[in-house]
Amino acid sequence: NAGVTQTPKFQVLKTGQSMTLQCAQDMNHNSMYWYRQDPGMGLRLIYYSASEGTTDKGEVPNGYNVSRLNKREFSLRLESAAPSQTSVYFCASSGTARAGSNQPQHFGDGTRLSIL
Amino acid sequence: GEDVEQSLFLSVREGDSSVINCTYTDSSSTYLYWYKQEPGAGLQLLTYIFSNMDMKQDQRLTVLLNKKDKHLSLRIADTQTGDSAIYFCAESMDSSYKLIFGSGTRLLVRP
């Protein structure tokens, strides 16, 4: 059972380089999310996509862009990487997101990104 | 505002019960979730509780919800070394489908 698949698993970049993190889910979920996880800070939402064709900013969107390529895929792009973006990035998906509904999110294994 | 708080660390002996606590501030929470994160892995959904429930039991896991005090707990019975991980609580609210996560509690199970 693949669930949510993220690539790559590890990446090292130099300051100023660009990179796209890939995410795909095979659960036919409508909603997808990108988080970053930093020590002692839990998960912070970067961007989310409630449904195919829509994207919205989360808590910490600066320095990132996203693309909901189709229902399965949601990519996160760093146009000009900065050391402050060193983090572990998680993609998640859930069923159709409606306020007040039970929509647990299912997570990938993460991408560990270091920016020198 | 939205805030979810957890204690940072818990250490228990193998075979004992573990209780991980979480407090939240938004009274409009609808569902509350517990996730487990093992080293190098993503978050795995353990269990959830609807806000109109007080308790939910699922094998070794018991979730207690005190809505008046906005307090959520996860009890793990007969804790095993394989339970060592970081545990996150998260809430969803009437006003949004986004989840708000706590910063996680690291559980260490000593043999």
Side-chain angles (χ1 to χ4, degrees):
Chain A
N1 295 335
V4 178
T5 302
Q6 292 184 235
T7 55
K9 294 190 185 306
F10 304 93
Q11 185 69 48
V12 179
L13 294 177
K14 294 181 180 178
T15 297
Q17 286 186 315
S18 62
M19 166 150 198
T20 299
L21 308 185
Q22 306 288 352
C23 175
Q25 51 91 9
D26 62 2
M27 295 174 283
N28 201 34
H29 283 163
N30 283 318
S31 301
M32 298 185 73
Y33 312 81
W34 275 105
Y35 293 89
R36 61 178 288 174
Q37 184 180 31
D38 301 293
M41 299 190 74
L43 277 79
R44 292 184 292 170
L45 184 65
I46 304 171
Y47 270 94
Y48 62 99
S49 171
S51 61
E52 187 179 353
T54 68
T55 61
D56 287 287
K57 294 179 180 179
E59 183 184 354
V60 288
N62 291 345
Y64 305 96
N65 285 300
V66 289
S67 295
R68 185 73 183 266
L69 303 169
N70 47 56
K71 189 172 185 178
R72 288 186 65 248
E73 299 173 286
F74 188 38
S75 63
L76 177 72
R77 183 161 178 83
L78 288 70
E79 290 291 352
S80 179
S84 61
Q85 293 178 304
T86 293
S87 188
V88 182
Y89 291 85
F90 288 101
C91 177
S93 69
S94 71
T96 301
R98 288 188 297 272
S101 65
N102 180 20
Q103 297 296 343
Q105 293 179 18
H106 300 264
F107 286 79
D109 286 339
T111 295
R112 282 142 188 85
L113 184 60
S114 293
I115 299 158
L116 307 176
Chain B
E2 309 153 353
D3 197 14
V4 178
E5 294 191 356
Q6 302 178 238
S7 54
L8 290 179
F9 185 74
L10 176 66
S11 177
V12 301
R13 195 175 296 277
E14 188 175 16
D16 287 350
S17 292
S18 307
V19 180
I20 302 171
N21 295 302
C22 173
T23 57
Y24 57 97
T25 55
D26 198 313
S27 58
S28 66
S29 295
T30 51
Y31 284 92
L32 295 125
Y33 302 90
W34 283 104
Y35 285 85
K36 175 184 181 183
Q37 185 182 32
E38 298 186 44
L43 277 70
Q44 171 196 354
L45 178 67
L46 283 179
T47 187
Y48 64 89
I49 188 167
F50 186 45
S51 60
N52 70 352
M53 297 169 63
D54 297 324
M55 186 183 85
K56 180 178 180 181
Q57 186 151 5
D58 184 0
Q59 299 181 2
R60 291 191 297 124
L61 305 179
T62 303
V63 178
L64 294 177
L65 176 60
N66 181 330
K67 281 188 295 182
K68 176 176 171 291
D69 295 338
K70 299 190 184 69
H71 183 266
L72 180 73
S73 67
L74 174 70
R75 178 177 181 270
I76 306 172
D78 186 25
T79 312
Q80 303 297 306
T81 54
D83 295 324
S84 292
I86 301 175
Y87 291 81
F88 292 90
C89 67
E91 61 170 345
S92 66
M93 294 163 288
D94 284 338
S95 59
S96 171
Y97 46 81
K98 291 180 285 184
L99 292 185
I100 307 298
F101 285 87
S103 56
T105 298
R106 184 178 296 273
L107 174 65
L108 175 65
V109 182
R110 309 185 307 274

